[in-house]
Amino acid sequence: MDTLAALGHGFLVALTPYNLLWSAIGVTVGTAVGVLPGIGPALTVALLLPVTYHLEPTSAFIMFAGIYYGAMYGGSTTSILLNAPGESGSIVTAIDGHAMARQGRGAQALATAAIGSFIAGTIATAALTFVAPLMVKMALLFGPAEYFALMVLALTTVTAVLGDSLARGLGSLFLGLALGLVGIDMQTGQARLAFGVPELLDGIDTVVVAVGLFAVGETLYVASRFRFEREEVYALKGSKWMSREDWSRSWKPWLRGTLLGFPIGALPAGGSEIPTFLSYLVEKRLAKKPEEFGHGAIEAVAGPEAANNASAAGVLAPLLSLGLPTSATAAIMLAAFQQYGLQPGPTLFDSTPELVWGMIASLYVGNVLLLLLNLPLVGMWVKLLVIPRPWLYAGILVFSTLGAYTLNNNVIDLVILWVIGLVGFGMRVLNVPVAPCVVGLILGPLAEQQFRRALAISQGDATVFITHPISAALLAVAVLLVVGPLVMRRRNRAAASDPAGKTSTV
């Protein structure tokens, strides 16, 4: 009952005209950036961080949540009509969605994607409503040692999961940790890594780093890979509504995709890619006509799109209740929390309940708005694809520069922005994930603070981290995330070098 009462209060917050306006802006912008290939929710939220600096936090996060959900919806449009996924979670949708578009059934593919996203998003948001408070109750058992272990888990999770190489992920993480050391040590009062620059004594602004990596660096990378070729967009033909057969073939994949998306999205190794691929494989195995998969099966669009949207709500559960980011967008939202002086976790539900529950309630509202935006107005979103890409990329770079300067009216911030942006571009070229860098910058100082606090309470006894069961378990999971891939890689190499399963004997 407490959860339902809190959710009711959240609806009172979310349905005020002012916050309703920001929700509508968020879902509209989110759908637009989902439609545009290469412009994802992480880049957009990073780009808007400087602009929302003086905005009331609840309104800002209602808008950010709308952008996140909207991008999940919009990504299916380019996957289906252009065969160019706007989001990584829409890669699977492109396989059969684009085949349907070539057959003149693009409208039906978009319809099952939009309705499936609505159903999955609503069910997953309901799950978030009840799962997040349970995770908070668990987190209330944490002391400094447990919080330090949780932050170590968060750092290793993002490092091990986001990216193809553990070594590259660790390199990105250590860069973020080093940037987090810049400024005055709060315990000793000594300057660290400031190099005599007074502007660096307050530390490097997280927002500047986030915008540099995700907006400037990502835009430079996408622009450098731009091909000056005419892209063929398949027009929507015939009826724009699903037939009775389409409905009968779609409703079960919607529900199965939801059941896969939310729990996997909430896991540290989750995200949107794994549940969408799993959903595709499940639907192909259960389909009455598996031979249609790859040639325009509507189940192959309905299931993965439902899983994609459900995973978005799953990602928010550990972020809000534990402060644990499990995706690039979650890492940027963590930076947004820090911008307002807030720390996601169990105390957030007590200190700012109107923000947490207003944001959760806005997800229900946003889902309805997105259904209304995506079904009748799909023709309008398709027209965004004709915007010249060079104009789009130049606009993002100008907007990023102006936004970073207006934070503190400081030229040093512009220098840092473009240095970090060029570093981010180099990281993308070398296939180094950028999310661990942002997470390291944010959580590094907090982990250091909890580490020192735990040692102070235990009077310098470092065994406190392994004698407390919860912290020991969290640290063990963190070690497994780092060591596990190394062991598996070595075993795979051994199996590849000895395909017969035999070893030579002397």
Side-chain angles (χ1 to χ4, degrees):
M1 287 302 294
D2 291 342
T3 299
L4 292 177
L7 181 62
H9 178 68
F11 273 109
L12 293 177
V13 174
L15 291 175
T16 59
Y18 185 69
N19 286 332
L20 203 56
L21 173 65
W22 285 111
S23 180
I25 292 172
V27 297
T28 304
V29 172
T31 303
V33 301
V35 168
L36 294 168
I39 314 296
L43 187 154
T44 308
V45 174
L47 195 62
L48 292 175
L49 286 180
V51 182
T52 58
Y53 189 75
H54 299 292
L55 190 64
E56 200 269 326
T58 302
S59 302
F61 279 97
I62 284 176
M63 182 179 69
F64 292 153
I67 290 171
Y68 191 22
Y69 262 33
M72 298 294 108
Y73 273 75
S76 61
T77 303
T78 44
S79 295
I80 292 168
L81 300 182
L82 194 63
N83 199 24
E87 261 296 294
S88 58
S90 299
I91 293 172
V92 179
T93 306
I95 300 172
D96 283 77
H98 191 62
M100 289 181 69
R102 291 198 305 269
Q103 297 165 10
R105 302 190 68 233
Q108 287 74 24
L110 290 170
T112 193
I115 297 170
S117 295
F118 170 75
I119 292 173
T122 303
I123 296 174
T125 304
L128 170 66
T129 303
F130 294 98
V131 168
L134 294 176
M135 296 176 75
V136 166
K137 288 181 180 178
M138 179 187 72
L140 288 174
L141 302 173
F142 288 10
E146 287 78 11
Y147 271 116
F148 169 74
L150 179 65
M151 289 175 187
V152 170
L153 176 61
L155 294 170
T156 53
T157 294
V158 176
T159 302
V161 172
L162 300 179
D164 300 326
S165 166
L166 180 62
R168 294 190 186 105
L170 288 172
S172 177
L173 174 64
F174 290 142
L175 174 61
L177 292 173
L179 293 174
L181 291 174
V182 175
I184 295 177
D185 183 351
M186 299 304 293
Q187 188 164 341
T188 64
Q190 295 294 317
R192 301 190 298 193
L193 302 178
F195 304 108
V197 180
E199 289 83 359
L200 293 181
L201 293 176
D202 290 331
I204 295 176
D205 198 312
T206 308
V207 176
V208 174
V209 175
V211 174
L213 288 175
F214 282 93
V216 176
E218 185 71 19
T219 302
L220 291 174
Y221 176 77
V222 174
S224 70
R225 298 297 189 269
F226 178 68
R227 295 175 299 171
F228 291 88
E229 299 174 358
R230 184 176 180 83
E231 296 172 322
E232 184 179 1
V233 180
Y234 284 84
L236 300 178
K237 303 174 182 177
S239 173
K240 292 182 171 57
W241 300 104
M242 295 169 60
S243 66
R244 181 174 295 181
E245 182 187 2
D246 292 336
W247 280 94
S248 66
R249 293 177 62 178
S250 295
W251 72 271
K252 288 181 181 178
W254 290 336
L255 298 179
R256 285 192 288 261
T258 305
L259 291 176
L260 285 171
F262 180 80
I264 295 177
L267 292 174
S272 60
E273 296 86 355
I274 296 174
T276 52
F277 276 100
L278 280 178
S279 175
Y280 184 88
L281 295 174
V282 168
E283 296 309 323
K284 186 174 183 179
R285 183 176 292 272
L286 297 177
K288 293 180 180 178
K289 301 177 181 177
E291 67 277 1
E292 289 187 6
F293 277 67
H295 305 285
I298 196 168
E299 298 95 334
V301 178
E305 274 302 303
N308 185 24
N309 266 63
S311 69
V315 165
L316 293 177
L319 175 67
L320 292 175
S321 56
L322 302 174
L324 191 69
T326 58
S327 72
T329 307
I332 294 299
M333 292 183 76
L334 189 63
F337 276 108
Q338 191 176 66
Q339 172 178 277
Y340 291 104
L342 302 170
Q343 176 59 36
T347 57
L348 188 69
F349 282 73
D350 292 327
S351 60
T352 54
E354 69 283 348
L355 187 155
V356 175
W357 291 107
M359 179 179 169
I360 292 175
S362 74
L363 297 177
Y364 291 96
V365 178
N367 263 315
V368 176
L369 294 175
L370 282 164
L371 188 65
L372 298 175
L373 280 172
N374 280 269
L375 276 181
L377 303 177
V378 65
M380 181 187 73
W381 299 117
V382 173
K383 292 179 181 178
L384 287 177
L385 297 173
V386 303
I387 296 176
R389 299 293 169 77
W391 294 9
L392 183 65
Y393 301 146
I396 292 173
L397 293 177
V398 171
F399 198 70
S400 303
T401 305
L402 292 175
Y405 181 74
T406 55
L407 280 174
N408 304 303
N409 295 326
N410 189 348
V411 178
I412 295 295
D413 282 346
L414 292 183
V415 175
I416 295 173
L417 173 75
W418 279 93
V419 169
I420 293 293
L422 292 173
V423 170
F425 171 67
M427 291 169 71
R428 290 289 283 115
V429 170
L430 297 174
N431 198 25
V432 177
V434 294
C437 182
V438 176
V439 176
L441 171 63
I442 298 168
L443 292 186
L446 297 175
E448 179 188 13
Q449 182 184 18
Q450 297 295 343
F451 179 78
R452 286 176 163 179
R453 188 175 295 171
L455 288 180
I457 293 174
S458 65
Q459 297 181 344
D461 184 7
T463 60
V464 65
F465 299 107
I466 56 176
T467 54
H468 288 205
I470 295 177
S471 64
L474 292 172
L475 290 174
V477 173
V479 171
L480 285 175
L481 282 172
V482 175
V483 176
L486 297 177
V487 173
M488 291 299 295
R489 193 174 293 121
R490 178 166 293 184
R491 289 184 61 182
N492 291 337
R493 285 177 181 172
S497 62
D498 189 16
K502 301 177 183 178
T503 54
S504 59
T505 56
V506 178

